[in-house]
Amino acid sequence: MEKRLSDKPARSAGVKASVFAAAAVTVMIVAVCAGSVKIRAADVPAVLFSHIFKQPLPAGIGSATDSIIWTLRVPRALLAFAVGASLGISGAVMQSVLRNPLASSYTIGVSAGASLGVGTLMMFGVSFPVLGIFGYPLFGCLSGIAAISLAIFFSSALDKDLSSNTIVLVGMVFSLFISALITLITALNTTVLEQLTYWQMGSFSMREWTHTLAVLPAALILATALFLRAPELDILTFGDEQAAVIGIDVRREKWLLLYLGAALTGASVAFVGIIGFVDLVAPHIVRRVFGAKHKIVLPAAAICGGTLTVFSDLLARTALPGRELPVGAVTALLGAPFFAFVFFRQRRIR
């Protein structure tokens, strides 16, 4: 009897994980099939099999369909999922480390800082002779780390206790300042007006396999590093004093986790600009469904964040016929009310 009762939570978690995975696969397939040119769902695995295993295309699938699936929509959907997964993981880490439900790479200015750094390089045609296109995610990592360092530096100058609320507020001001910088650059150089506007609001438009394959290695390495720190994240959740008693160097661990989370955000937004609120919403959904254990929260946040981003990109492409909206605008429309809900709920609890 006891064994049966102990199996119930495991079975329940397994069912929930299966639902999350099924939703992710479904949204990915719909994202590849939907658009100005409709694609049959059965053609997607056939085209993927043909390219992966170097086999001829099945009869009935034309070169135009093959090109739309393999060249345009699959790499875009994979990049959107990778970016969303990275943001979901980063948001879960920052909320746990700072112990603030409003903390995320977006709200503390990391996304904006990383996007400004990489976007400036791309706008002025700066290249990396040795690293090539892989240099942009690397520079994004460094820009993300620099952004969170600046946010925490200014927060410490205002608040010696370095409360998480101060960090979030300073981060929001930091984001507004960066937006002002982008506006200033746009005013001084109107030739990049459209590029800067879409960069500021986030977009997966015209992204190809090269961009996807450049982001994936950095995202996988950094996400794995954070997965390995799941036990430390669990301990930090209980507070600094308890973590110190157990033997954890709290200051060092917090900086390491924040830097890894910021670097992951920087690498993920290196080619797409600012994608807001995914890193805020996904961890909240996951914790409500699966609980607080980070061994489960981090991979679930990756799946949830990836699914939300692919869905938002799908809406951006298909909401208006013949036009494409910035993905960041869609995620903001979905995420801003959620942010307000979390903020006012937190105040009521206090």
Side-chain angles (χ1 to χ4, degrees), residues 290-314:
F290 292 99
K293 195 170 184 179
H294 287 88
K295 186 178 180 180
I296 300 174
V297 166
L298 294 184
I303 295 173
C304 185
T307 304
L308 286 173
T309 307
V310 174
F311 178 71
S312 298
D313 185 47
L314 175 63

Side-chain angles (χ1 to χ4, degrees), residues 46-55 57 66-67 70-71:
V47 170
L48 293 177
F49 181 86
S50 172
H51 281 274
I52 293 171
F53 296 101
K54 308 298 181 184
Q55 298 295 317
L57 284 170
D66 172 60
S67 179
W70 181 255
T71 307

Side-chain angles (χ1 to χ4, degrees), residues 10-92:
R11 286 200 301 268
S12 177
V15 171
K16 293 173 183 177
S18 299
V19 171
F20 267 55
V25 172
T26 301
V27 170
M28 289 286 285
I29 293 173
V30 173
V32 174
C33 294
S36 56
V37 177
K38 299 293 187 286
I39 301 293
R40 293 182 304 173
D43 291 344
V44 177
V47 170
L48 293 177
F49 181 86
S50 172
H51 281 274
I52 293 171
F53 296 101
K54 308 298 181 184
Q55 298 295 317
L57 284 170
I61 299 179
S63 58
T65 300
D66 172 60
S67 179
I68 290 171
I69 293 174
W70 181 255
T71 307
L72 297 177
R73 293 187 183 169
V74 168
R76 177 169 179 159
L78 286 176
L79 179 61
F81 190 88
V83 169
S86 299
L87 292 175
I89 295 168
S90 176

Side-chain angles (χ1 to χ4, degrees), residues 99 233-243 246:
R99 288 189 290 163
L233 277 167
D234 287 338
I235 295 170
L236 287 173
T237 304
F238 293 105
D240 294 353
E241 292 182 3
Q242 290 84 342
I246 294 172

